[in-house]
Amino acid sequence: MRLKLNSRGVGVLPLVAGISVASIITVAMVSQMGLEGFKRSTFAYTEWETNLGNQKALGLGGYFVAHNLVLCREDGWRDLAEGVKCRWGGGYHNPRISESKYNIKSVEYENGDLVLSILNAEKNQKSYVTKLKMNLVDWSKQASFRPMVGEIPVWNALSDDDKFMVLMTAATDLQIAEGKNKTVTKSGAIRRPIGTPNVQIQYNTGRESCIFECEAGSTLSPNPECRGPLGVPEEGGSATLGVRISNLGPGALYKLKYERTTTFNQEIYPGRAPETTLVDAMDKQEVFMPGERLDTEIERKCYNPVRTFTTQNVQRVTTGNVGTTSTTSSTSVTVASTFRALSSEHFNVSASRFDPTEATRDLAGFSKRYNPYDSKTYRPNTTLSVIEPKRLGTQLPTIEVSSPQETVSQTTTTTTVVVRPRVVESTPSGDGDGDGDN
């Protein structure tokens, strides 16, 4: 078929072709300009995008807290401004986890809040930013938060008394007109995960045994070398135990101070009261991460009974016809060393605000009257231990330690000797001739 050329036909196809090409180019240019505009924008353009950005940010915030990527400490941090309690915790992981892995453009602090700027990038290359603010709050002091947390059952409260939660607020700017926008926010909260401290006593420090040395041989010593009592002070020598504490997780710990209670064998120390001290396991360390281990040494006293050895030498001398009496009392001491359980060490971290024995003795009755917000309904826990967060995965163990115990046997021998003098007669002296007057 041949195309007939005329005045009308000649202009039709080129014109149509020209218009089509021009339209495609124009649409492409406009589309490209629009995409560039979206790339540069920090606003969401629909309610759906706004809600999506806020929900995504809250979900990420919960993930960060649960996986110790955001760490929140009640007392704040030494290297941050006062009042800042939450920080990005990727640097405490090994290997380090960068915030850029989660499309976080910046990490900042505003009015005590941790602020994460999260980039929301869609497949069509549109992008906008949601700001996530995070802070640690005491929900027990704000009645509006209590329904969110709910009531902690009494039995769970034995190991859970954490009054803090991480409050999160996501904010996304929505563009409602050219040059005009509004901020849409959504809030949520999450509790910090529990920590599980595990204690192991190491017996290979080389100084865990109570070894008492003999006195050095000397002519001035009443017990040279080992012929008498061992050279031990009345309260005993000392030894060290290695203590290894591991955090089994899943949460980080920010404080760990445990009670160390020493109870004594009442057969050896009748009436001696237990001794309680507080040991700061973390010292100046601000966070104790899951999988981390703390090694330290604690002093252990080697208790011994007070020993009194008495040696008396009494001599009484009289002169004349009565005679001389000598009385000597000597004491010989034999010392042997045996191992007996003198004391037990109890390491304890308690998280409940009430005395645990009160609940375990009558759980049903205690559950009815217990009100965590009314201190008159329970007997306070007197423990000195401190843990943060107060959500405990396990209790620390009780261990038994043995120390050398001196067994002392004492023998006293008394010898009395009386010596009477022989009488000597004296006669008057004569002239020596032997004759006398007889």
Side-chain angles (χ1 to χ4, degrees):
M1 178 179 178
R2 297 179 63 184
L3 178 62
K4 184 179 179 179
L5 300 178
N6 53 39
S7 59
R8 178 180 296 179
V10 171
V12 171
L13 289 179
L15 179 62
V16 172
I19 294 174
S20 300
V21 172
S23 299
I24 293 171
I25 294 175
T26 302
V27 170
M29 291 176 63
V30 171
S31 299
Q32 184 64 26
M33 290 175 60
L35 288 174
E36 292 297 331
F38 273 114
K39 288 180 180 179
R40 292 192 298 269
S41 174
T42 59
F43 305 119
Y45 286 83
T46 66
E47 292 281 357
W48 182 84
E49 289 177 344
T50 304
N51 292 332
L52 178 63
N54 287 343
Q55 291 283 15
K56 175 184 174 182
L58 292 178
L60 279 174
Y63 176 87
F64 293 156
V65 174
H67 290 79
N68 305 298
L69 288 169
V70 167
L71 302 172
C72 298
R73 192 171 184 271
E74 295 172 24
D75 293 342
W77 306 85
R78 286 191 294 269
D79 62 333
L80 298 180
E82 185 177 356
V84 175
K85 298 181 178 180
C86 295
R87 72 182 307 158
W88 177 256
Y92 290 90
H93 290 254
N94 188 18
R96 182 183 183 277
I97 300 177
S98 173
E99 61 272 14
S100 61
K101 178 180 179 180
Y102 300 95
N103 290 330
I104 298 176
K105 294 178 60 177
S106 65
V107 177
E108 300 172 313
Y109 301 97
E110 293 181 7
N111 300 321
D113 295 333
L114 168 67
V115 182
L116 304 177
S117 295
I118 302 173
L119 180 65
N120 300 288
E122 306 298 335
K123 290 182 179 180
N124 58 7
Q125 298 186 18
K126 289 172 56 178
S127 62
Y128 57 96
V129 173
T130 297
K131 288 193 173 184
L132 179 64
K133 295 184 177 181
M134 308 179 74
N135 203 351
L136 190 66
V137 298
D138 185 346
W139 57 265
S140 67
K141 296 180 180 179
Q142 304 183 46
S144 59
F145 285 153
R146 293 178 187 175
M148 297 172 58
V149 180
E151 294 185 5
I152 301 175
V154 173
W155 189 255
N156 291 354
L158 283 168
S159 59
D160 185 357
D161 190 35
D162 185 20
K163 301 180 294 182
F164 289 84
M165 64 182 181
V166 182
L167 181 63
M168 304 178 293
T169 302
T172 304
D173 288 336
L174 172 65
Q175 188 175 39
I176 56 178
E178 185 66 29
K180 187 177 181 180
N181 62 282
K182 70 174 183 179
T183 302
V184 180
T185 63
K186 189 175 183 65
S187 297
I190 184 173
R191 304 182 73 199
R192 294 173 293 177
I194 63 175
T196 309
N198 179 56
V199 175
Q200 296 178 342
I201 304 301
Q202 307 294 310
Y203 290 98
N204 57 354
T205 64
R207 299 185 302 278
E208 64 274 4
S209 299
C210 295
I211 301 176
F212 301 144
E213 296 180 355
C214 300
E215 292 182 355
S218 170
T219 57
L220 300 178
S221 172
N223 304 298
E225 298 177 329
C226 279
R227 300 191 187 113
L230 296 174
V232 186
E234 290 185 353
E235 192 58 30
S238 64
T240 56
L241 288 176
V243 179
R244 173 170 293 174
I245 301 179
S246 305
N247 183 5
L248 303 181
L253 295 173
Y254 305 96
K255 293 178 186 175
L256 181 59
K257 299 179 182 180
Y258 59 86
E259 267 189 357
R260 177 191 178 191
T261 302
T262 304
T263 57
F264 301 93
N265 187 331
Q266 293 298 300
E267 293 182 0
I268 303 173
Y269 307 105
R272 186 166 188 173
E275 295 180 0
T276 300
T277 57
L278 188 63
V279 182
D280 189 349
M282 294 174 57
D283 196 16
K284 296 180 180 180
Q285 188 171 328
E286 291 185 306
V287 60
F288 185 21
M289 295 292 286
E292 194 174 354
R293 193 176 68 196
L294 299 174
D295 290 315
T296 186
E297 290 185 351
I298 60 173
E299 185 182 16
R300 181 181 123 206
K301 289 184 178 179
C302 303
Y303 298 97
N304 294 281
V306 176
R307 298 172 287 116
T308 302
F309 305 103
T310 304
T311 301
Q312 294 179 340
N313 292 299
V314 180
Q315 186 176 42
R316 186 178 63 207
V317 178
T318 60
T319 59
N321 294 334
V322 177
T324 301
T325 302
S326 175
T327 302
T328 301
S329 175
S330 61
T331 303
S332 63
V333 180
T334 302
V335 180
S337 182
T338 60
F339 282 87
R340 298 181 60 184
L342 300 183
S343 62
S344 63
E345 301 277 6
H346 184 202
F347 297 145
N348 177 52
V349 171
S350 180
S352 63
R353 69 177 64 188
F354 53 84
D355 187 346
T357 59
E358 187 177 9
T360 55
R361 184 171 57 248
D362 180 19
L363 182 61
F366 182 72
S367 301
K368 294 178 181 179
R369 67 176 182 274
Y370 172 66
N371 180 357
Y373 308 107
D374 185 0
S375 59
K376 297 180 181 179
T377 63
Y378 59 90
R379 186 169 63 247
N381 192 350
T382 58
T383 181
L384 301 176
S385 61
V386 179
I387 186 171
E388 183 194 344
K390 294 190 73 173
R391 305 184 68 196
L392 190 65
T394 185
Q395 292 287 337
L396 304 185
T398 299
I399 63 168
E400 295 288 334
V401 295
S402 297
S403 301
Q405 163 67 33
E406 285 187 349
T407 301
V408 180
S409 60
Q410 181 171 305
T411 304
T412 300
T413 303
T414 301
T415 304
T416 301
V417 178
V418 179
V419 179
R420 295 185 180 279
R422 182 174 64 88
V423 180
V424 179
E425 297 180 358
S426 60
T427 58
S429 61
D431 55 7
D433 56 7
D435 295 329
D437 296 331
N438 298 324

